[in-house]
Short mmCIF file of all heavy atoms in Angstrom, two decimals:
data_model
loop_
_atom_site.label_atom_id
_atom_site.label_comp_id
_atom_site.label_asym_id
_atom_site.label_seq_id
_atom_site.Cartn_x
_atom_site.Cartn_y
_atom_site.Cartn_z
N PRO A 262 1.90 -3.45 6.87
CA PRO A 262 0.68 -3.07 6.14
C PRO A 262 -0.36 -2.42 7.03
O PRO A 262 -1.10 -1.53 6.59
CB PRO A 262 0.18 -4.40 5.56
CG PRO A 262 1.42 -5.22 5.42
CD PRO A 262 2.26 -4.87 6.62
N VAL A 263 -0.44 -2.87 8.30
CA VAL A 263 -1.40 -2.27 9.23
C VAL A 263 -1.02 -0.83 9.52
O VAL A 263 -1.86 0.08 9.50
CB VAL A 263 -1.44 -3.08 10.55
CG1 VAL A 263 -2.41 -2.44 11.53
CG2 VAL A 263 -1.83 -4.52 10.28
N ARG A 264 0.26 -0.59 9.78
CA ARG A 264 0.72 0.76 10.07
C ARG A 264 0.62 1.66 8.84
O ARG A 264 0.33 2.86 8.95
CB ARG A 264 2.14 0.72 10.62
CG ARG A 264 2.21 0.16 12.04
CD ARG A 264 3.59 0.32 12.63
NE ARG A 264 4.56 -0.58 12.01
CZ ARG A 264 4.81 -1.80 12.41
NH1 ARG A 264 4.13 -2.31 13.43
NH2 ARG A 264 5.70 -2.55 11.80
N TYR A 265 0.84 1.08 7.65
CA TYR A 265 0.69 1.87 6.42
C TYR A 265 -0.76 2.34 6.27
O TYR A 265 -1.02 3.47 5.87
CB TYR A 265 1.07 1.04 5.19
CG TYR A 265 2.51 0.62 5.12
CD1 TYR A 265 2.90 -0.43 4.27
CD2 TYR A 265 3.49 1.24 5.88
CE1 TYR A 265 4.23 -0.82 4.19
CE2 TYR A 265 4.82 0.85 5.80
CZ TYR A 265 5.18 -0.19 4.96
OH TYR A 265 6.49 -0.59 4.88
N ARG A 266 -1.69 1.46 6.60
CA ARG A 266 -3.11 1.82 6.49
C ARG A 266 -3.46 2.92 7.48
O ARG A 266 -4.20 3.85 7.15
CB ARG A 266 -4.00 0.61 6.72
CG ARG A 266 -5.48 0.95 6.67
CD ARG A 266 -6.37 -0.23 6.48
NE ARG A 266 -7.76 0.19 6.34
CZ ARG A 266 -8.73 -0.58 5.90
NH1 ARG A 266 -8.46 -1.81 5.53
NH2 ARG A 266 -9.96 -0.14 5.81
N LEU A 267 -2.95 2.81 8.70
CA LEU A 267 -3.19 3.86 9.69
C LEU A 267 -2.64 5.20 9.20
O LEU A 267 -3.27 6.24 9.35
CB LEU A 267 -2.54 3.49 11.02
CG LEU A 267 -3.23 2.40 11.84
CD1 LEU A 267 -2.33 1.97 13.00
CD2 LEU A 267 -4.57 2.88 12.35
N CYS A 268 -1.46 5.15 8.59
CA CYS A 268 -0.84 6.36 8.04
C CYS A 268 -1.70 6.94 6.93
O CYS A 268 -1.99 8.15 6.91
CB CYS A 268 0.56 6.03 7.54
SG CYS A 268 1.42 7.41 6.73
N LEU A 269 -2.13 6.10 6.00
CA LEU A 269 -2.97 6.56 4.89
C LEU A 269 -4.28 7.14 5.40
O LEU A 269 -4.72 8.20 4.93
CB LEU A 269 -3.25 5.40 3.93
CG LEU A 269 -4.25 5.67 2.80
CD1 LEU A 269 -3.77 6.82 1.93
CD2 LEU A 269 -4.47 4.41 1.97
N ASP A 270 -4.90 6.45 6.36
CA ASP A 270 -6.16 6.95 6.92
C ASP A 270 -5.97 8.32 7.55
O ASP A 270 -6.78 9.23 7.37
CB ASP A 270 -6.71 5.98 7.97
CG ASP A 270 -7.33 4.74 7.36
OD1 ASP A 270 -7.56 4.73 6.13
OD2 ASP A 270 -7.58 3.78 8.09
N ARG A 271 -4.88 8.50 8.29
CA ARG A 271 -4.64 9.77 8.96
C ARG A 271 -4.39 10.90 7.95
O ARG A 271 -4.98 11.98 8.06
CB ARG A 271 -3.45 9.65 9.92
CG ARG A 271 -3.10 10.94 10.64
CD ARG A 271 -4.29 11.50 11.40
NE ARG A 271 -4.00 12.81 11.99
CZ ARG A 271 -4.92 13.74 12.21
NH1 ARG A 271 -6.20 13.50 11.91
NH2 ARG A 271 -4.59 14.89 12.75
N LEU A 272 -3.55 10.66 6.96
CA LEU A 272 -3.26 11.69 5.97
C LEU A 272 -4.50 12.02 5.15
O LEU A 272 -4.74 13.20 4.82
CB LEU A 272 -2.12 11.25 5.07
CG LEU A 272 -0.77 11.00 5.74
CD1 LEU A 272 0.28 10.59 4.71
CD2 LEU A 272 -0.30 12.22 6.52
N SER A 273 -5.28 11.00 4.81
CA SER A 273 -6.51 11.23 4.04
C SER A 273 -7.50 12.06 4.86
O SER A 273 -8.16 12.97 4.34
CB SER A 273 -7.15 9.90 3.65
OG SER A 273 -6.29 9.15 2.82
N LEU A 274 -7.59 11.73 6.16
CA LEU A 274 -8.50 12.46 7.03
C LEU A 274 -8.10 13.92 7.16
O LEU A 274 -8.95 14.82 7.13
CB LEU A 274 -8.54 11.80 8.41
CG LEU A 274 -9.57 12.36 9.41
CD1 LEU A 274 -10.98 12.22 8.86
CD2 LEU A 274 -9.44 11.64 10.75
N ILE A 275 -6.80 14.18 7.27
CA ILE A 275 -6.32 15.55 7.34
C ILE A 275 -6.77 16.33 6.09
O ILE A 275 -7.27 17.45 6.18
CB ILE A 275 -4.79 15.58 7.46
CG1 ILE A 275 -4.36 15.14 8.87
CG2 ILE A 275 -4.24 16.98 7.16
CD1 ILE A 275 -2.86 14.99 9.03
N PHE A 276 -6.58 15.72 4.93
CA PHE A 276 -6.94 16.38 3.67
C PHE A 276 -8.45 16.60 3.58
O PHE A 276 -8.91 17.70 3.25
CB PHE A 276 -6.47 15.54 2.49
CG PHE A 276 -6.57 16.24 1.16
CD1 PHE A 276 -5.54 17.03 0.70
CD2 PHE A 276 -7.71 16.11 0.37
CE1 PHE A 276 -5.63 17.69 -0.52
CE2 PHE A 276 -7.82 16.76 -0.85
CZ PHE A 276 -6.77 17.55 -1.29
N LEU A 277 -9.24 15.56 3.88
CA LEU A 277 -10.69 15.64 3.76
C LEU A 277 -11.28 16.66 4.74
O LEU A 277 -12.21 17.39 4.39
CB LEU A 277 -11.31 14.27 3.98
CG LEU A 277 -11.06 13.26 2.86
CD1 LEU A 277 -11.46 11.86 3.30
CD2 LEU A 277 -11.83 13.66 1.60
N GLU A 278 -10.74 16.69 5.95
CA GLU A 278 -11.26 17.66 6.92
C GLU A 278 -10.99 19.09 6.48
O GLU A 278 -11.84 19.96 6.66
CB GLU A 278 -10.62 17.39 8.29
CG GLU A 278 -11.18 16.16 8.99
CD GLU A 278 -10.55 15.89 10.34
OE1 GLU A 278 -9.44 16.40 10.60
OE2 GLU A 278 -11.18 15.16 11.13
N GLU A 279 -9.83 19.33 5.89
CA GLU A 279 -9.54 20.68 5.41
C GLU A 279 -10.42 21.03 4.21
O GLU A 279 -10.91 22.16 4.09
CB GLU A 279 -8.06 20.80 5.03
CG GLU A 279 -7.65 22.17 4.53
CD GLU A 279 -7.94 23.29 5.51
OE1 GLU A 279 -7.92 23.03 6.73
OE2 GLU A 279 -8.18 24.42 5.07
N MET A 280 -10.64 20.06 3.32
CA MET A 280 -11.54 20.30 2.18
C MET A 280 -12.95 20.61 2.67
O MET A 280 -13.61 21.53 2.16
CB MET A 280 -11.56 19.08 1.27
CG MET A 280 -10.27 18.86 0.48
SD MET A 280 -9.99 20.12 -0.80
CE MET A 280 -11.21 19.62 -2.02
N ASN A 281 -13.42 19.85 3.66
CA ASN A 281 -14.76 20.09 4.21
C ASN A 281 -14.84 21.47 4.87
O ASN A 281 -15.86 22.15 4.78
CB ASN A 281 -15.12 19.00 5.22
CG ASN A 281 -15.53 17.71 4.55
OD1 ASN A 281 -15.91 17.70 3.38
ND2 ASN A 281 -15.44 16.61 5.27
N ARG A 282 -13.77 21.85 5.58
CA ARG A 282 -13.76 23.16 6.23
C ARG A 282 -13.89 24.27 5.18
O ARG A 282 -14.63 25.23 5.38
CB ARG A 282 -12.47 23.34 7.02
CG ARG A 282 -12.45 24.58 7.90
CD ARG A 282 -11.10 24.79 8.52
NE ARG A 282 -10.11 25.18 7.54
CZ ARG A 282 -9.98 26.42 7.08
NH1 ARG A 282 -10.78 27.39 7.52
NH2 ARG A 282 -9.07 26.72 6.18
N GLN A 283 -13.20 24.12 4.07
CA GLN A 283 -13.28 25.12 3.01
C GLN A 283 -14.68 25.18 2.41
O GLN A 283 -15.21 26.25 2.10
CB GLN A 283 -12.25 24.81 1.93
CG GLN A 283 -10.80 24.99 2.39
CD GLN A 283 -9.81 24.62 1.32
OE1 GLN A 283 -10.16 24.36 0.17
NE2 GLN A 283 -8.53 24.61 1.67
N ARG A 284 -15.29 24.00 2.26
CA ARG A 284 -16.64 23.96 1.71
C ARG A 284 -17.64 24.62 2.64
O ARG A 284 -18.55 25.33 2.21
CB ARG A 284 -17.06 22.50 1.48
CG ARG A 284 -16.38 21.84 0.29
CD ARG A 284 -16.77 20.39 0.23
NE ARG A 284 -16.17 19.70 -0.90
CZ ARG A 284 -16.21 18.38 -1.05
NH1 ARG A 284 -16.81 17.63 -0.15
NH2 ARG A 284 -15.64 17.82 -2.11
N GLU A 285 -17.48 24.37 3.94
CA GLU A 285 -18.40 24.95 4.92
C GLU A 285 -18.32 26.47 4.90
O GLU A 285 -19.32 27.16 5.06
CB GLU A 285 -18.07 24.42 6.32
CG GLU A 285 -18.43 22.96 6.51
CD GLU A 285 -17.87 22.42 7.81
OE1 GLU A 285 -17.46 23.23 8.67
OE2 GLU A 285 -17.86 21.19 7.97
N ILE A 286 -17.11 26.98 4.71
CA ILE A 286 -16.93 28.43 4.67
C ILE A 286 -17.62 29.01 3.43
O ILE A 286 -18.28 30.05 3.50
CB ILE A 286 -15.43 28.79 4.67
CG1 ILE A 286 -14.82 28.42 6.03
CG2 ILE A 286 -15.23 30.26 4.37
CD1 ILE A 286 -13.32 28.58 6.08
N SER A 287 -17.47 28.35 2.29
CA SER A 287 -18.00 28.89 1.04
C SER A 287 -19.45 28.50 0.79
O SER A 287 -20.19 29.24 0.13
CB SER A 287 -17.14 28.40 -0.14
OG SER A 287 -17.18 26.97 -0.22
N ASN A 288 -19.88 27.35 1.32
CA ASN A 288 -21.23 26.87 1.04
C ASN A 288 -21.72 25.96 2.17
O ASN A 288 -21.67 24.74 2.05
CB ASN A 288 -21.25 26.11 -0.30
CG ASN A 288 -22.65 25.68 -0.68
OD1 ASN A 288 -23.62 26.32 -0.29
ND2 ASN A 288 -22.76 24.60 -1.43
N PRO A 289 -22.19 26.54 3.26
CA PRO A 289 -22.66 25.73 4.40
C PRO A 289 -23.73 24.74 3.94
O PRO A 289 -24.63 25.07 3.17
CB PRO A 289 -23.22 26.77 5.37
CG PRO A 289 -22.51 28.03 5.00
CD PRO A 289 -22.33 27.97 3.51
#
Side-chain angles (χ1 to χ4, degrees):
V263 178
R264 288 189 288 272
Y265 295 162
R266 177 163 184 165
L267 286 170
C268 176
L269 173 59
D270 285 347
R271 178 55 186 152
L272 298 181
S273 298
L274 186 60
I275 287 173
F276 190 87
L277 289 168
E278 286 180 340
E279 180 57 30
M280 289 291 287
N281 283 339
R282 189 187 70 80
Q283 292 178 8
R284 286 175 179 170
E285 289 170 15
I286 292 173
S287 61
N288 184 27

